[in-house]
Amino acid sequence: MAETGFTTMASAQAGGAAPTIGVGMLGYAFMGKAHSNAYKKLPYMMYPPVAVPKLVAIAGRNEQATRAAAQRFGYAKVYTDWREMLKDDEVQLFDNGGPNNAHAEPCIAAANLGKHILCEKPLARTAAEAATMLDAVTKTGVKHAVMFNYRFVPAVRLARDLIEQGKLGQIYHFRAVYLQEWIMPHYGTPHIWRLDKQQAGSGALGDLGSHIIDLARFLVGEPRRVSAATQTFIKERPDDSGAMKKVDVDDAFVSTVEFENGAIGSVEATRFAGGHKNYNSFEVNGEKGSIRFNLERMNELDVFWVGEEPKETQGFHNINVSESYHPWWSNWWPQGHIIGWEHTFVHEINHLLDAIVNHKPVAPYCADFTDGYRNAVICDAILQSAEDGRRVDIQY
Ligand code: SOE
């Protein structure tokens, strides 16, 4: 039969050149789906792959749902106890896609068993909890990453590269908002885990704010002081039984940020901004120009360069970040054939696999547990400031 040239997962190892990495996935909901999709797409799109993920096992409390997820995504084994999954020698990379209260214990256990770790954001519910996770991975020397996936949007990485090359000069401002609407009254959202302090740690702050706080650090540098306010607009919501339960996390927060390098700015996140679906937007202003990004137009960047145009046409112009020379784009399509939110997970996981098999550092281009810990310190300081009504210094 004529050789079809058809590659399968097996031959994606480019004649065996790429090693496989056994993945153990905790969680099968939104992030379990996003991560599993990335593991499956990676070998034939980030080609030739640095490593080929092997979907060894998936764990979840509900056996029926976990089995269904294993069937859907192609995991070989099913566990209802993550402790059992971590004992499986085939699992080399532990992927924690569970809720925030299920991050610390499994990740610490995985580190102690010598597993590399990818943990969803936020790393933990508090800085103290994040510190225990950072200690565990530091002691054991495993590779560790936090899924702050917006660092892996090509337009965001381009912004980072331009800033790192000095193209903006001195940075004056960073301002970011992360606006959603899905828990406004007209959605009728019940008392879900993201609205429960014991499970989530915080509300919009940890879920959305952690992303833009990570981008503030990634693009501008370390914050030195914050001054914040928080608000909970809907004070109680029905739980599974229908009984009204107090909401003990923030529905929204706003914070000023003073950076170590002299820049000042603001970060704000809410799920009560009607009309905004997933509006993660930032702007950086420097002496030589400005850069503006909006996740709802993920393949674009607005840039302004001082003195680079006739004064009559000075102002922002919009670029389509989809050329082969833009970050990760040589793996995808010709210019203008845009990619999406899911591809950021492929980029980040590929970066981690490369760090694992080629003994490379995860940071600074990917968030590791140090980044996750520092993020948690800043989140704690924002809550402290909102509580005390005073500015709070950032101390790692
Ligand atoms: C829900 O707010 C959510 O799914 C976050 O948890 C994700 O981190 C963000 O990327 C999209 O919105």
Side-chain angles (χ1 to χ4, degrees):
M1 181 178 70
E3 178 53 52
T4 62
F6 175 70
T7 58
T8 62
M9 182 79 89
S11 62
Q13 295 174 27
T20 60
I21 290 193
V23 176
M25 180 83 225
L26 172 59
Y28 47 76
F30 184 6
M31 288 302 134
K33 175 178 169 185
H35 294 205
S36 301
N37 173 62
Y39 288 121
K40 295 174 78 72
K41 190 173 292 238
L42 186 152
Y44 57 79
M45 289 310 292
M46 307 298 279
Y47 190 84
V50 288
V52 175
K54 189 175 168 212
L55 303 188
V56 168
I58 186 166
R61 279 170 303 190
N62 179 310
E63 181 170 358
Q64 186 186 357
T66 310
R67 284 199 180 286
Q71 177 75 25
R72 176 177 182 182
F73 301 123
Y75 287 92
K77 303 177 203 174
V78 169
Y79 290 93
T80 53
D81 181 347
W82 55 263
R83 296 165 189 81
E84 293 308 308
M85 183 173 76
L86 291 181
K87 290 175 188 167
D88 187 327
D89 289 338
E90 278 196 273
V91 172
Q92 297 161 284
L93 170 59
F94 172 57
D95 185 327
N96 194 332
N100 301 349
N101 61 321
H103 287 182
E105 193 184 358
C107 285
I108 291 168
N112 292 336
L113 287 163
K115 314 284 186 184
H116 303 296
I117 304 166
L118 173 58
C119 185
E120 257 302 327
K121 42 57 59 182
L123 180 62
R125 293 168 290 181
T126 64
E129 188 173 60
T132 64
M133 302 168 76
L134 177 56
D135 290 347
V137 294
T138 304
K139 265 202 300 256
T140 55
V142 295
K143 295 292 182 186
H144 46 92
V146 184
M147 189 53 94
F148 281 117
N149 58 303
Y150 296 121
R151 293 186 182 207
F152 287 86
V153 173
V156 174
R157 177 59 186 271
L158 175 60
R160 159 71 187 233
D161 292 344
L162 290 168
I163 292 167
E164 200 167 31
Q165 293 155 18
K167 295 287 194 318
L168 281 186
Q170 179 187 348
I171 304 299
Y172 302 134
H173 295 294
F174 174 86
R175 71 185 65 74
V177 296
Y178 200 154
L179 312 177
Q180 295 178 347
E181 62 166 19
W182 59 278
I183 60 170
M184 289 178 71
H186 62 288
Y187 276 76
T189 311
H191 200 288
I192 54 173
W193 73 262
R194 290 182 198 275
L195 302 175
D196 180 61
K197 188 177 179 66
Q198 191 283 325
Q199 296 178 79
S202 62
L205 175 63
D207 189 32
L208 302 178
S210 64
H211 276 299
I212 49 181
I213 289 164
D214 180 66
L215 291 177
R217 296 187 59 248
F218 184 57
L219 296 167
V220 177
E222 296 296 358
R224 69 182 183 87
R225 190 158 58 182
V226 294
S227 180
T230 61
Q231 182 58 280
T232 302
F233 299 111
I234 298 180
K235 309 293 186 190
E236 55 180 20
R237 294 173 184 256
D239 65 14
D240 296 344
S241 71
M244 295 309 279
K245 184 176 179 184
K246 179 174 180 281
V247 173
D248 55 0
V249 294
D250 55 291
D251 282 335
F253 85 96
V254 184
S255 183
T256 61
V257 185
E258 296 167 79
F259 292 86
E260 292 288 358
N261 62 10
I264 62 171
S266 60
V267 288
E268 173 188 359
T270 182
R271 300 171 186 137
F272 282 74
H276 288 291
K277 306 307 176 182
N278 199 25
Y279 188 85
N280 174 354
S281 179
F282 65 78
E283 181 169 327
V284 185
N285 307 123
E287 67 176 311
K288 298 179 182 173
S290 295
I291 295 176
R292 189 167 60 194
F293 170 78
N294 161 15
L295 180 65
E296 292 177 354
R297 300 178 68 168
M298 174 185 144
N299 294 270
E300 302 173 31
L301 210 54
D302 290 334
V303 296
F304 161 72
W305 301 116
V306 173
E308 296 233 326
E309 294 176 41
K311 63 177 183 300
E312 297 79 3
T313 61
Q314 278 281 308
F316 278 99
H317 65 270
N318 176 273
I319 57 170
N320 193 294
V321 183
S322 62
E323 299 287 352
S324 59
Y325 47 77
H326 283 141
W328 301 292
W329 260 92
S330 58
N331 295 289
W332 298 105
W333 318 112
Q335 68 267 58
H337 295 63
I338 57 177
I339 59 173
W341 178 80
E342 69 177 278
H343 299 89
T344 64
F345 293 85
V346 180
H347 300 157
E348 176 158 355
I349 289 172
N350 189 62
H351 179 98
L352 176 57
L353 297 186
D354 189 19
I356 292 169
V357 298
N358 294 313
H359 311 293
K360 293 178 181 174
V362 170
Y365 296 109
C366 176
D368 65 7
F369 279 25
T370 297
D371 294 302
Y373 163 70
R374 292 185 172 191
N375 193 290
V377 168
I378 298 163
C379 286
D380 280 9
I382 284 173
L383 291 177
Q384 186 70 50
S385 173
E387 180 73 26
D388 299 352
R390 61 181 174 80
R391 287 190 293 188
V392 175
D393 291 340
I394 304 301
Q395 286 160 347
Y396 296 135

